[in-house]
Amino acid sequence: MYVAPANTDVTISHGKLRLTKPSNTIGPKPSVDRFFMSLAEDREDKCIAIVLSGTGSDGAHGVKAIKAAGGITIAQDPRSAKYDSMPNAAIRVGGADLVLPPSEIALQLSSLQSRPGTSLTEEQDELPPSTIRG
């Protein structure tokens, strides 16, 4: 686990984490959108993005980028979130493949990790239909 210092962004390039100056003067610093977008560009379909409880809409554009790159995207079920703005924003833009409470996110990650190279669409038959987002 890494914690970004205030007033910096974290990006990934060639598989390495980098601290950078924020590119926007408005918005959260660090920005998970910026990290997710760099992750999508660097790792393409080999990444998973998870948007958890938080305020604002940071993360929504980033999960769309990861989904477009072929990665897997998960949003915390807003009903289980203390602050539901970030997961709701990710869901609203169509960026969440799965919407799950935290305990089920952990189980899903374990399942995905044990089967490398398996895409989410190949696993959808095994998931409860209410968790899958198109």
Side-chain angles (χ1 to χ4, degrees):
M1 174 189 276
Y2 297 94
V3 177
N7 296 315
T8 61
D9 279 334
V10 177
T11 59
I12 189 164
S13 178
H14 304 289
K16 294 185 180 187
L17 291 176
R18 310 232 185 255
L19 294 178
T20 60
K21 287 186 175 186
S23 57
N24 294 323
T25 56
I26 299 173
K29 296 165 205 63
S31 168
V32 74
D33 267 332
R34 185 146 186 231
F35 175 68
F36 284 168
M37 286 186 223
S38 71
L39 185 64
E41 185 177 320
D42 193 70
R43 306 306 299 162
E44 298 174 340
D45 63 344
K46 296 169 191 68
C47 57
I48 299 172
I50 303 170
V51 176
L52 298 172
S53 175
T55 60
S57 61
D58 194 29
H61 297 295
V63 293
K64 280 185 71 173
I66 286 181
K67 190 172 181 175
I72 297 170
T73 57
I74 303 171
Q76 179 177 358
D77 186 329
R79 295 172 295 190
S80 70
K82 183 173 182 179
Y83 303 103
D84 65 2
S85 299
M86 284 177 62
N88 271 325
I91 295 164
R92 244 189 336 271
V93 299
D97 292 313
L98 300 173
V99 177
L100 303 166
S103 60
E104 291 182 34
I105 291 172
L107 294 172
Q108 186 63 36
L109 286 174
S110 177
S111 173
L112 290 170
Q113 183 181 10
S114 68
R115 290 182 255 176
T118 303
S119 73
L120 185 60
T121 55
E122 293 169 353
E123 293 186 14
Q124 285 184 350
D125 293 336
E126 301 171 26
L127 297 170
S130 62
T131 64
I132 301 170
R133 302 286 177 176

